[in-house]
Amino acid sequence: MSTDLLIGRLRAALGEKAVVTDPDVLDSHRNDHATFCEAGIPAVLVRPSSTAEVQEVLRAAGEYGVPVVPQGARTGLSGAANALDGCLLLSTSRLNRILEISAEDQIAVVQPGVVNAELSRAVLAQGLFYPPDPSSWEMSTIGGNIATNAGGLCCVKYGVTGDFVRGLEVVLASGEVVRTGRRTAKGVAGYDLTSLIVGSEGTLGVVTEATLALRPEPEAALTAAATFLSIEAGIAAAAAVMASGLRPSLLEFLDGPTARAIQNYRDMGLPADVGSLLIAQSDRGPRAAEDVAAIARICTEYGAVEVAEASDAEESKMLLEARRLVNPALEPLGATLIDDVAVPRSKLVALLQGIAEIGTKYDVLICCPGHVGDGNMHPTVVFDRDDPAAEARALEAFGAVMNLGLSLGGTITGEHGIGKLKSRWLAQELGPVGLVLQRQLKAIFDPANLLNPDKLFL
């Protein structure tokens, strides 16, 4: 009954088209890309188009005690946008305007439904650069990127989403609006609520506006790709590149199984005995060619059997294609369960060796691409989803990889977030005191526990 009253109130306030109860539409919005996470049956999907309408939605949900699950483009990989039974799905898809681009202040002010790639192209047209570039950048939205503190290929030089968020407008569970942060390049007044909201996965409030830092447009990047006969050689070369004083704008790693899957999917000229592939890029303008040549020399010194250097932007794009083919290349092999561990670079060899042992122990294929420059790897368990025994082994292997990452001084997520997928390991990483503090913070922002209540914490 309370849900019916809520829906009636929302339709009166937002209009019929903004409030959706069609079962087929609701079913299509139940989950993000983390298909292994439980997803409930929502009661209603609401698409507000202003901050005031978001306030109305949260006030009404609070009055009737209905949980709210904020959603962006649902490209996440941790189940953070998954519904629970009887919830209200709050979509930010209609909050999709770029409100301001300032070349003088080097900032953009945007609503959360703006697609990452659209913002990137819009600022580029003004000679500016928004660096965060998750692989889903053509689909994922800024709000979702903020919710999970998303990363991307260029994190090794530029950092993750949170490094570019200067300020936020957030609607709290009470319906009140708080503005955090600032427009200025510097500012240290009070607690850093902006950083607290970034990565909170919709559990503390709903972001309705973001002020983002921009950079000057970089020069066209050049790329080098090096093939090695072993994982260890590729990792050692990557470590040497990072220790050399060079700062590539991209440093990506593909292990042998991943490289062979790509070669089988599309002929990239990779040898059958490839042990690993390292892809590096520099965007330092006139110095880019010099950087790429230096990286190529380091790779040769560390045993690369073949090194290709791009002479222009078009060749660079071709060399990068192998990295962008990872997901489509793995799909024909079976269902995929994508992990997101990050470890200190000094522990990468131990991580990769341990992952190989886990794959053998549980009799599953684990491919391991990743952002080797910052130690964030994506071990991907591949298995036959029609085989229950194989699925069970895959889930055990997934957990073993996270335990391995923690044992090496790492983290269970470098850029995908916790959501539902990894909540059982969060307490292990935070420790008992840290977990209590996080729960207390959640209670301050959302005392009735209505905002994404089944995420992060078990």
Side-chain angles (χ1 to χ4, degrees):
M1 179 63 71
S2 62
T3 302
D4 293 337
L5 293 173
L6 170 65
I7 292 171
R9 173 171 165 176
L10 292 174
R11 282 178 170 155
L14 277 67
E16 291 284 337
K17 291 184 178 180
V19 182
V20 181
T21 56
D22 181 282
D24 291 334
V25 176
L26 294 181
D27 185 64
S28 70
H29 284 73
R30 290 177 58 213
N31 57 272
D32 62 16
H33 286 191
T35 56
F36 285 87
C37 295
E38 177 185 353
I41 306 297
V44 60
L45 168 68
V46 182
R47 297 187 177 108
S49 59
S50 68
T51 298
E53 289 187 349
V54 174
Q55 290 181 271
E56 177 62 26
V57 171
L58 292 185
R59 288 192 187 111
E63 180 178 331
Y64 292 104
V66 174
V68 177
V69 176
Q71 292 186 335
R74 294 176 293 108
T75 58
L77 294 167
S78 66
N82 284 18
L84 66 157
D85 287 338
C87 77
L88 181 156
L89 299 178
L90 193 162
S91 170
T92 60
S93 60
R94 293 176 66 195
L95 293 160
N96 58 4
R97 291 186 297 142
I98 298 174
L99 303 173
E100 178 188 357
I101 298 173
S102 171
E104 183 176 8
D105 291 331
Q106 292 191 349
I107 61 168
V109 182
V110 305
Q111 292 183 314
V114 172
V115 172
N116 183 297
E118 292 178 0
L119 173 63
S120 297
R121 286 190 279 266
V123 301
L124 189 63
Q126 298 196 30
L128 297 168
F129 176 42
Y130 180 64
D133 63 340
S135 296
S136 59
W137 77 311
E138 290 285 3
M139 299 179 290
S140 65
T141 59
I142 296 299
N145 295 167
I146 290 171
T148 60
N149 202 2
L153 300 184
C154 70
C155 289
V156 63
K157 181 174 182 178
Y158 294 105
V160 296
T161 297
D163 295 311
F164 293 86
V165 180
R166 288 195 182 169
L168 296 170
E169 178 186 83
V170 183
V171 181
L172 303 176
S174 63
E176 297 172 289
V177 174
V178 61
R179 283 189 169 271
T180 73
R182 74 283 173 197
R183 288 173 62 100
T184 56
K186 295 172 64 179
V188 294
Y191 295 126
D192 188 355
L193 296 182
T194 301
S195 293
L196 182 61
I197 297 295
V198 174
S200 62
E201 303 184 33
T203 62
L204 302 181
V206 178
V207 173
T208 51
E209 186 181 295
T211 301
L212 307 173
L214 305 174
R215 297 282 186 90
E217 178 186 357
E219 299 287 340
L222 295 181
T223 307
T227 304
F228 301 85
L229 294 179
S230 70
I231 285 174
E232 292 80 4
I235 294 294
V241 169
M242 295 304 296
S244 69
L246 295 167
R247 186 55 72 223
S249 56
L250 176 151
L251 190 61
E252 294 292 298
F253 176 87
L254 304 176
D255 67 344
T258 306
R260 285 188 287 276
I262 292 169
Q263 177 63 24
N264 290 335
Y265 180 78
R266 183 176 299 173
D267 186 4
M268 304 293 293
L270 300 175
D273 59 351
V274 57
S276 60
L277 180 68
L278 197 63
I279 304 171
Q281 192 170 80
S282 174
D283 61 4
R284 290 210 300 158
R287 295 284 300 276
E290 180 182 328
D291 287 356
V292 166
I295 291 170
R297 284 195 299 272
I298 292 171
C299 290
T300 299
E301 290 170 6
Y302 280 82
V305 294
E306 184 178 354
V307 181
E309 297 179 48
S311 60
D312 56 35
E314 190 60 33
E315 286 188 9
S316 289
K317 183 178 179 181
M318 291 174 61
L319 290 179
L320 261 184
E321 186 178 10
R323 178 61 180 90
R324 300 195 185 280
L325 286 175
V326 168
N327 288 339
L330 295 182
E331 285 177 4
L333 303 182
T336 57
L337 189 55
I338 302 173
D339 214 326
D340 176 39
V341 297
V343 299
R345 286 196 298 265
S346 60
K347 301 295 184 181
L348 279 168
V349 170
L351 176 69
L352 272 292
Q353 290 174 338
I355 287 170
E357 293 170 4
I358 290 169
T360 299
K361 177 179 178 180
Y362 292 102
D363 190 25
V364 292
L365 171 64
I366 306 181
C367 297
C368 197
H371 316 304
V372 70
D374 54 28
N376 186 191
M377 306 303 287
H378 294 304
T380 302
V381 186
V382 184
F383 62 96
D384 181 359
R385 198 166 190 173
D386 294 328
D387 181 348
E391 181 173 333
R393 294 196 307 274
L395 291 170
E396 289 190 62
F398 180 86
V401 169
M402 281 193 287
N403 288 330
L404 172 64
L406 290 173
S407 74
L408 295 172
T411 175
I412 59 176
T413 178
E415 57 187 9
H416 291 171
I418 300 297
K420 293 180 69 69
L421 184 64
K422 299 188 174 184
S423 56
R424 60 178 282 202
W425 289 276
L426 183 60
Q428 184 178 341
E429 176 165 340
L430 295 179
V433 177
L435 186 63
V436 168
L437 285 172
Q438 300 240 349
R439 290 185 183 278
Q440 289 173 337
L441 285 168
K442 163 71 168 168
I444 290 171
F445 279 79
D446 180 21
N449 194 29
L450 291 179
L451 289 177
N452 232 0
D454 63 336
K455 308 307 189 313
L456 296 182
F457 314 115
L458 284 176

